[in-house]
Amino acid sequence: MTDAGTTTKRRAPEAILVDLELCKACGICVEFCPQDVFDRDPLGEPVVARLDDCTTCLFCERHCPDFAIEVRRAASAADQPEGEG
Amino acid sequence: MPQPRRLVQGNEAVAEGAIAAGARFFAGYPITPSTEIAEVLSRRMPQVGGHFIQMEDEIASIAAVIGASLAGAKSLTATSGPGFSLMQESIGYAAMAQVPCVIIDVMRGGPSTGLPTEPSQGDVMQARWGTHGEHSIIAFVPSSVMECFTLTVEAFNLAEAYRTPVIVLSDATVGHMREAVALPTPDELRIAPRGEPDVPPEEYDEVMSTVDNILPRPALGSRYAVHVTGLVYDRARGGAPATGTPAVAEGLGRYLREKIYHHRDAICRVEEIGMEDAEVAILAYGSVARSARAAMRWARRQGVKVGLVRPITLWPFPTVAVDHLAEQVRTIIVPEMNLKQFSWEVQAAVRGRAKVVDHGRVDGKLIRPEEIQALIKREFYYHRWEETA
Amino acid sequence: MSALVDEELVERPPQDVSLPRIEPHATPEVLSHLRSPKTLWCPGCSNGIVTRALIDAVLSLELEPERTCVIAGIGCAGRITTYLKWSTVHTAHGRALAVATGVKAADPGLNVIVVMGDGDCVAIGGNHLIHAARRNIDVTALVFNNSIYGMTGGQMSPTTFEGDRSTTSVYGNVEQAFDICELAHAAGATYVARGTPYGYTRLAQLIAGGIAHKGFAFVEAMVSCPTYYGRQNGIPDPSAMMKRQYDRSVPVDKFDRDGPRLHDRYPVGVLHHAERSEYTAAYAEIVARVQGEAGDRA
């Protein structure tokens, strides 16, 4: 896992949307979230449990193999640095 | 206004026919006795703003031809038996995915390495069924240098009209012979353009060809998004793979067949000489038809009623012509430089209504008129034959 | 070092390449470039991640979708043709680079991207790979290397490592794996790069660099097949597999290229970069010269 060094905490997004029609419950988003935002439901699908801990790193959105996750940025997303990884 | 009369080699005529038809892409691999086609086109393609590439093998060659055709260029390759064998998978791909292209097979002795510099007609069945799966094909068989030119032009026209690969079955004799011809110029020829569908891009995915209205596929890189695959696909959904829908698979398979067979009367060409009152016919194609014509003339000079039926397209099989033949004559002689490949089909179509006499040769030597004359003599047992040829 | 003798071949150190900037797009934008986002790829198969990286690369380069086509072979990777909205050609197995050669030669202005699995690229397609690289034709080969034949149920591939199990090496593979980046380089590819789905933005950048490069670009993505490679080789969990692909990667400037080849260490980044005569440009010069000479004689 890359170490981004010291970062200021980025703002939490407005929402993390998971399209369960596309999700195949592979677990990548849950396993790699650096802030442990997700839990897994009995089917293995991700559940957004701790949205406020999310730093909008966008790892889950980019590494979902099924295009099932959208991290809807907060209103002033423009002044956020790019996510790592 | 035709070009001046000059000695032209059969293979050279094929190359010039392709250029006249608007072919602007050739990919091939050298193989005797077809190599001259590649050599001529390597020189001619830059002259006409086209592209020549010598690929690493025949498999790559037919694949590149398919790619260039999808990108909008009329494309061809040229080979002989061993290369034709290598190309079969992708010929089937072109049939399945409906990619217009022309494959020249200058037949030589086979199977395998066989007789590289000698003629045969051994690829007749392979042209029909060489690739796996149920499909239909169009195959022309020239028997003169001029036909090497004109049938190559026609091959491109039919490839465009029916969105199919078309095979031209030449052979080492026809390919390497030279005859004095005045090759036509493009303005004297009928040349079918590629065309574009007349629906806007947004509607293209749902519009389907019918056997009476075969729509051209737009080129890659045009304003249409095009999806091409060798899997069974749904023509009503932009060609998306549909391997899980039996009805779509059946519909596609039958369409691909009917696309050509529905038009067999327009596609099949047969030349008939001396058939008005013939009692016996010779059915011969390619270089053998030249010997057959000589034998027929020899018989006619002696007052014996023999005619010649010369298929110019081998596939689709000329069912209508053979049907009429079976009703008219008592014997059909089918000489071929193979062992009964086409005569079996003739026999099936004749259904016992006439006698079918086959005559085969696989030694790499052209069937001579005398061999056919001997077969004719047997059919007119009581005729007093003069010994002069 | 390439075996080609060519005075215009200038091998540049990989760090010399300035790679395009990647702007990862949000999911709705990515979805708008897919005909159908419901893929047949297994849960945890990283093919979808590389597909997204390809979309991000193409969008970041601002390529015209109409002038971009993806040509893919047979296998799980090849199914990308079903999902992308841009023009796609799903070729016969192993023939994608040969088809792409025809496409590019007939219309050199097209952006041609060739997607292949490891089997499609270096088993049945090996001959076409070395010749496309030799010609330095301006297409971008993107290889999804999962070291297995997934679509047909888990057989070994030329990139399966010695000792690995597969359905056709049930006692352990006795063959060695290709280093397909070195193969492409030796054959003449002028841009060679490798990345992992874990390193998403970097992978998208390497792909974009390949597309932007004028010449034969070869990009290897080390993808994971948890269902067949993973289950047969003790690493069935998708996250663990993806992490392992990443942990085995070493940035190229830190990689010991003179050391012995190891299956669990490989360099990532731009591995080779050179400038050399590109095939379609060289042929166009011939055409111009021939037609110019004809004009002079007319």
Side-chain angles (χ1 to χ4, degrees):
Chain A
M1 192 83 79
T2 52
D3 182 3
T6 316
T7 53
T8 54
K9 184 184 185 309
R10 302 189 190 97
R11 288 173 58 179
E14 186 185 296
I16 299 174
L17 308 169
V18 180
D19 186 341
L20 294 176
E21 280 291 307
L22 295 178
C23 172
K24 291 175 186 155
C26 71
I28 285 174
C29 54
V30 183
E31 292 297 316
F32 286 107
C33 177
Q35 301 299 122
D36 194 31
V37 166
F38 298 101
D39 285 338
R40 282 178 102 155
D41 71 12
L43 290 175
E45 295 158 338
V47 171
V48 180
R50 289 161 287 280
L51 181 64
D52 290 341
D53 290 351
C54 175
T55 61
T56 321
C57 78
L58 303 175
F59 189 99
C60 57
E61 181 174 297
R62 293 169 191 168
H63 292 80
C64 173
D66 300 289
F67 318 100
I69 298 181
E70 182 196 349
V71 178
R72 198 161 283 171
R73 306 354 172 213
S76 57
D79 44 32
Q80 293 197 36
E82 252 185 39
E84 261 305 326
Chain B
M1 154 121 174
Q3 301 168 48
R5 227 166 119 85
R6 60 184 180 95
L7 272 183
V8 180
Q9 190 202 52
N11 280 347
E12 183 188 352
V14 165
E16 291 300 335
I19 297 284
R24 291 297 177 264
F25 183 87
F26 175 92
Y29 191 80
I31 181 169
T32 308
S34 76
T35 308
E36 293 84 359
I37 299 171
E39 292 175 335
V40 170
L41 287 172
S42 82
R43 184 172 44 84
R44 293 286 277 127
M45 280 295 181
Q47 293 171 353
V48 298
H51 198 102
F52 167 92
I53 183 167
Q54 182 179 305
M55 295 297 281
E56 51 270 23
D57 56 40
E58 288 88 343
I59 299 175
S61 298
I62 183 68
V65 163
I66 288 169
S69 182
L70 289 172
K74 290 189 181 179
S75 309
L76 81 157
T77 185
T79 188
S80 186
F84 193 50
S85 293
L86 289 174
M87 293 182 182
Q88 292 304 320
E89 187 197 12
S90 284
I91 292 173
Y93 179 95
M96 176 58 139
Q98 306 191 63
V99 184
C101 58
V102 173
I103 301 110
I104 317 286
D105 175 17
V106 187
M107 294 184 283
R108 73 193 216 178
S112 187
T113 315
L115 296 167
T117 59
E118 305 284 9
S120 85
Q121 294 177 321
D123 305 349
V124 165
M125 270 299 164
Q126 185 186 24
R128 179 65 187 92
W129 293 115
T131 194
H132 60 277
E134 181 64 52
H135 66 288
S136 44
I137 202 79
I138 299 174
F140 284 100
V141 56
S143 73
S144 69
V145 169
M146 182 59 97
E147 278 199 335
C148 283
F149 182 96
T150 55
L151 295 184
T152 298
V153 174
E154 264 312 274
F156 277 98
N157 288 339
L158 296 195
E160 295 300 323
Y162 301 106
R163 280 183 57 199
T164 176
V166 175
I167 299 168
V168 178
L169 285 172
S170 179
D171 66 54
T173 300
V174 170
H176 279 168
M177 70 167 52
R178 288 173 199 274
E179 297 187 289
V181 290
L183 296 177
T185 47
D187 51 286
E188 299 173 276
L189 300 163
R190 180 183 81 88
I191 295 175
R194 173 66 59 91
E196 222 185 49
D198 53 8
V199 292
E202 319 79 66
E203 293 170 30
Y204 177 68
D205 276 1
E206 282 85 45
V207 82
M208 264 175 55
S209 301
T210 61
V211 290
D212 287 310
N213 185 24
I214 299 167
L215 300 170
R217 177 194 271 122
L220 293 172
S222 71
R223 57 208 177 95
Y224 294 82
V226 154
H227 297 276
V228 186
T229 180
L231 287 170
V232 161
Y233 53 92
D234 191 341
R235 296 179 297 133
R237 286 179 46 244
T243 50
T245 319
V248 170
E250 181 84 7
L252 177 64
R254 289 186 184 270
Y255 171 76
L256 291 178
R257 182 190 159 81
E258 280 310 300
K259 183 178 69 163
I260 289 176
Y261 279 81
H262 181 74
H263 299 281
R264 79 190 303 161
D265 291 342
I267 295 171
C268 289
R269 288 129 216 247
V270 172
E271 182 185 32
E272 296 186 358
I273 306 178
M275 282 305 299
E276 304 76 21
D277 60 345
E279 294 167 19
V280 164
I282 313 164
L283 189 150
Y285 53 90
S287 49
V288 177
R290 303 171 73 98
S291 300
R293 191 194 332 258
M296 179 206 71
R297 291 206 183 111
W298 164 86
R300 280 284 175 181
R301 277 196 296 273
Q302 306 196 39
V304 172
K305 294 181 180 153
V306 175
L308 171 66
V309 174
R310 181 175 74 88
I312 296 171
T313 49
L314 281 184
W315 307 111
F317 184 82
T319 311
V320 169
V322 174
D323 209 57
H324 287 162
L325 194 55
E327 294 292 324
Q328 181 187 339
V329 302
R330 57 184 162 82
T331 298
I332 306 168
I333 299 168
V334 188
E336 316 176 71
M337 287 192 286
N338 59 50
L339 300 175
K340 294 175 79 151
Q341 286 193 26
F342 208 63
S343 73
W344 269 120
E345 294 291 302
V346 172
Q347 214 173 107
V350 162
R351 279 184 285 125
R353 291 172 286 172
K355 183 168 74 170
V356 176
V357 173
D358 61 273
H359 176 78
R361 229 185 144 145
V362 288
D363 60 355
K365 296 301 163 198
L366 189 54
I367 292 177
R368 303 179 60 78
E370 297 80 71
E371 297 168 57
I372 304 172
Q373 288 165 16
L375 296 170
I376 294 172
K377 278 188 187 172
R378 280 200 232 142
E379 295 304 312
F380 296 90
Y381 189 77
Y382 297 105
H383 183 85
R384 285 158 55 128
W385 294 96
E386 292 164 28
E387 286 313 307
T388 54
Chain C
M1 189 58 200
S2 171
L4 296 167
V5 179
D6 184 342
E7 294 195 356
E8 278 129 32
L9 174 65
V10 177
E11 189 82 32
R12 299 196 191 288
Q15 297 87 332
D16 228 14
V17 179
S18 70
L19 294 174
R21 186 179 155 72
I22 291 296
E23 190 201 308
H25 291 71
T27 299
E29 171 74 30
V30 172
L31 287 172
S32 74
H33 292 275
L34 295 172
R35 277 206 288 181
S36 153
K38 270 186 110 115
T39 70
L40 88 177
W41 294 323
C42 292
C45 165
S46 37
N47 283 2
I49 307 175
V50 184
T51 300
R52 189 183 184 122
L54 172 61
I55 294 173
D56 266 338
V58 167
L59 296 179
S60 298
L61 288 170
E62 295 181 336
L63 300 183
E64 283 179 69
E66 279 176 7
R67 297 291 291 160
T68 303
C69 69
V70 172
I71 301 171
I74 298 295
C76 291
R79 287 308 195 109
I80 198 176
T81 52
T82 315
Y83 308 128
L84 288 171
K85 255 191 196 157
W86 317 323
S87 282
T88 61
V89 182
H90 190 211
T91 72
H93 192 27
R95 314 303 170 194
L97 278 168
V99 172
T101 298
V103 171
K104 186 75 180 184
D107 188 351
L110 280 175
N111 305 307
V112 177
I113 299 157
V114 186
V115 170
M116 298 166 281
D118 42 291
D120 197 87
C121 182
V122 295
I124 183 169
N127 198 29
H128 308 312
L129 168 65
I130 63 177
H131 288 275
R134 177 181 64 83
R135 291 186 188 105
N136 196 32
I137 186 165
D138 183 21
V139 302
T140 304
L142 174 56
V143 183
F144 289 41
N145 183 6
N146 60 9
S147 298
I148 201 86
Y149 282 28
M151 180 65 84
T152 42
Q155 298 79 34
M156 57 190 274
S157 121
T159 57
T160 308
F161 306 110
E162 195 179 355
D164 277 349
R165 290 181 197 280
S166 71
T167 63
T168 47
S169 62
V170 295
Y171 308 110
N173 182 17
V174 298
E175 298 176 21
Q176 311 256 325
F178 268 139
D179 179 332
I180 61 180
C181 282
E182 290 308 301
L183 181 63
H185 174 239
T190 47
Y191 174 102
V192 180
R194 180 188 282 126
T196 64
Y198 187 94
Y200 175 85
T201 313
R202 183 69 172 149
L203 176 61
Q205 194 175 44
L206 295 170
I207 295 171
I211 296 171
H213 174 74
K214 281 274 165 288
F216 187 74
F218 185 85
V219 181
E220 178 183 4
M222 306 301 288
V223 300
S224 23
C225 172
T227 305
Y228 287 117
Y229 184 91
R231 285 197 291 181
Q232 292 182 94
N233 290 287
I235 187 161
D237 175 60
S239 302
M241 244 199 111
M242 189 167 82
K243 186 67 164 54
R244 189 173 84 169
Q245 301 286 60
Y246 178 75
D247 288 342
R248 288 177 166 184
S249 69
V250 179
V252 60
D253 49 355
K254 297 185 172 50
F255 186 79
D256 175 16
R257 300 176 93 147
D258 298 319
R261 267 183 53 200
L262 301 167
H263 74 280
D264 57 356
R265 278 285 172 277
Y266 44 77
V268 289
V270 177
L271 308 183
H272 300 284
H273 172 239
E275 304 288 325
R276 174 158 82 79
S277 170
E278 189 272 329
Y279 173 77
T280 58
Y283 195 85
E285 281 177 23
I286 299 252
V287 173
R289 197 184 78 216
V290 166
Q291 300 200 319
E293 285 168 2
D296 291 343
R297 281 199 300 272

